[in-house]
Amino acid sequence: MWCWEEWYSMSATSVKNGVVDSSRWVSATELAEQIRTGQRSAVEAVDEAIARVETLDVHYCAVVAPLFDRARRRALAVEPSAPFAGVPILLKDAGEELADTSMWVGTQGLMRAGHTSRTTTVLAGRLEELGFIVIGKSACPELSASSTTEPPGFPPTRNPWDLRRSAGGSSGGSAAAVAGGLVPIAHGSDGSGSLRFPAALCGVSALKPSRGRVSTAPAAGSQDPLNLWTQFAVARDVRDLRALFQHLALDHQRTGPAMSALRCGVLDSDPIIGLSVDPATVLAVRTVAGFLEAAGHSVEESYPTAFDDLFEPFWQTTQTIGPWVRASQVAWVAERLGRPVVDGDLSASCLEQAKRGRSIPETEISQALKRVADAMAPVQDWWDDHDILITPVTLEPAWTLGQDPAIRTGMFAA
């Protein structure tokens, strides 16, 4: 089993057939520039990424479905003027789809059936229009519904910094692939932490855009009445996230006034559930706050005090909305399979939760959604006087595989 010192010793370069692969740690924007100026071809960039997957992913289990032949064909025909022409990327195996490619969403039933997508979704198509070459699908938990990527029937996705530990979820495959140097950037999605959890655990960067900024498709036909799901990416270089946002945001203004000093609040404890925060996590929050203060921004001990009253409405609503969402996902799987879902297609716990969800009256669903909306409304007032709230992402750093992730994440990313 690797440890981070062994992994880091490989980090400067990797070797492919005796040749140093210097593109392993190049950012997406840098790689696009190399391809644009002829220093490297799109085919070379894709072949190098494929070689890294074939060599290294046996350790990470980040790529659940390779699309190598398709990627090589597209690299030969990529539009050279596209902003990310030839840059290899992974597409999370949930929500966004590419026609005629595998899509399993971490489920044994769809995997055994060899399920493929019928159409290409808007965002997946847009990524390819930008010149990205999808070399494979990244792993996610069953129905993209966990903060660790350990779906039944699939190998667990491992954290490149320590293969004994979780890469997080639900975009765990994407974060592990980026942290391990397989690709410079990878697609992911986030409802209540699914991009941010794995990015934090794997030491890479992520952004969950505000609602409505990027075209999105919830995972596995999920009901999303609160409009929580967002699609974006993880990357090693935050400049890649900025560049991608400029191309994907539906109403992004490329120019604007210079940013003035930010008004920042700091929260390093858990006011909602009251669980303890690991000292290493507290130190990380304090370090970020110190950097911002040193850069001239205003930093104070402040957070929306309405958080203190969120536990009860969130807990009650979770017991209602969770099973209801799971029922819609199981129905989606059945529709994709073309038959009823049976034991073995999905985990027993998932099927049991969906069964409960099908019996919940619509009036109860409506009441639960209203409770959440009413509880969250006072939180917005705090933002009238603040720009940023600095918090942990999870309660603790990456935990050992096989442990219950629910008590290790908390509600910071909700």
Side-chain angles (χ1 to χ4, degrees):
M1 201 65 71
W2 288 2
C3 64
W4 76 269
E5 291 93 344
E6 294 172 282
W7 180 89
Y8 186 78
S9 70
M10 301 174 59
S11 65
T13 58
S14 58
V15 178
K16 178 188 67 175
N17 297 327
V19 178
V20 172
D21 173 11
S22 59
S23 70
R24 184 178 178 192
W25 303 111
V26 174
S27 71
T29 48
E30 290 172 324
L31 184 55
E33 178 65 16
Q34 291 178 4
I35 295 169
R36 186 162 39 251
T37 57
Q39 300 173 58
R40 179 180 270 105
S41 71
V43 171
E44 287 173 331
V46 167
D47 279 342
E48 288 168 348
I50 289 172
R52 293 193 293 269
V53 172
E54 292 177 329
T55 302
L56 297 173
D57 198 48
V58 64
H59 302 291
Y60 311 148
C61 301
V63 181
V64 70
L67 300 175
F68 297 159
D69 290 342
R70 182 183 186 278
R72 289 185 170 115
R73 290 195 302 271
R74 295 191 67 87
L76 287 168
V78 69
E79 171 54 53
S81 63
F84 292 98
V87 176
I89 194 172
L90 292 171
L91 191 72
K92 181 182 177 181
D93 191 31
E96 298 301 325
E97 304 189 50
L98 287 175
D100 303 317
T101 67
S102 61
M103 187 185 191
W104 305 332
V105 203
T107 67
Q108 297 179 77
L110 292 175
M111 183 266 292
R112 286 197 295 262
H115 173 260
T116 58
S117 295
R118 304 159 187 167
T119 60
T120 295
T121 51
V122 172
L123 182 60
R126 181 63 180 139
L127 290 172
E128 294 202 313
E129 288 174 3
L130 292 174
F132 286 109
I133 307 296
V134 179
I135 66 169
K137 300 291 188 68
S138 62
C140 69
E142 184 180 51
L143 297 177
S144 195
S146 175
S147 49
T148 187
T149 304
E150 303 177 57
F154 294 81
T157 298
R158 300 178 181 275
N159 195 311
W161 292 95
D162 184 338
L163 299 182
R164 299 164 298 183
R165 298 184 180 276
S166 173
S170 63
S171 304
S174 290
V178 169
L182 305 186
V183 289
I185 191 169
H187 160 260
S189 55
D190 191 318
S192 57
S194 289
L195 269 168
R196 292 161 288 166
F197 291 151
L201 299 191
C202 291
V204 293
S205 299
L207 171 67
K208 180 183 180 180
S210 299
R211 300 173 186 180
R213 301 302 299 276
V214 174
S215 175
T216 191
S222 300
Q223 302 275 10
D224 188 24
L226 295 174
N227 194 24
L228 297 178
W229 277 100
T230 296
Q231 312 282 329
F232 201 60
V234 292
R236 288 189 300 273
D237 193 320
V238 294
R239 290 170 294 187
D240 288 345
L241 298 178
R242 179 184 180 185
L244 182 59
F245 183 80
Q246 289 174 339
H247 289 288
L248 291 183
L250 300 177
D251 59 352
H252 178 64
Q253 300 296 318
R254 292 176 181 272
T255 60
M259 182 174 290
S260 59
L262 297 170
R263 300 161 298 175
C264 309
V266 180
L267 173 63
D268 61 11
S269 60
D270 175 9
I272 300 177
I273 307 178
L275 297 175
S276 62
V277 180
D278 188 279
T281 302
V282 173
L283 176 61
V285 170
R286 291 294 165 183
T287 300
V288 171
F291 284 148
L292 287 170
E293 191 166 32
H297 302 291
S298 172
V299 178
E300 62 179 6
E301 302 292 324
S302 177
Y303 70 93
T305 55
F307 284 169
D308 298 338
D309 302 318
L310 286 183
F311 175 75
E312 184 174 353
F314 261 99
W315 173 254
Q316 292 175 346
T317 301
T318 298
Q319 304 311 299
T320 303
I321 300 301
W324 176 66
V325 169
R326 202 68 66 240
S328 71
Q329 291 183 317
V330 171
W332 180 91
V333 172
E335 189 273 331
R336 290 299 180 100
L337 288 173
R339 60 167 175 77
V341 170
V342 298
D343 289 345
D345 288 335
L346 296 165
S347 65
S349 60
C350 177
L351 293 174
E352 174 58 30
Q353 193 175 29
K355 181 179 179 181
R356 286 189 282 117
R358 287 190 289 269
S359 67
I360 298 174
E362 286 293 329
T363 53
E364 191 172 333
I365 299 296
S366 298
Q367 292 168 358
L369 293 172
K370 186 177 185 303
R371 279 198 298 272
V372 171
D374 290 346
M376 288 299 297
V379 174
Q380 304 302 317
D381 296 340
W382 184 84
W383 298 98
D384 293 339
D385 301 315
H386 296 83
D387 301 299
I388 290 177
L389 178 60
I390 308 164
T391 76
V393 178
T394 60
L395 292 168
E396 61 184 75
W399 51 84
T400 305
L401 287 164
Q403 295 185 317
D404 179 7
I407 61 172
R408 291 171 169 81
T409 53
M411 295 186 67
F412 295 107

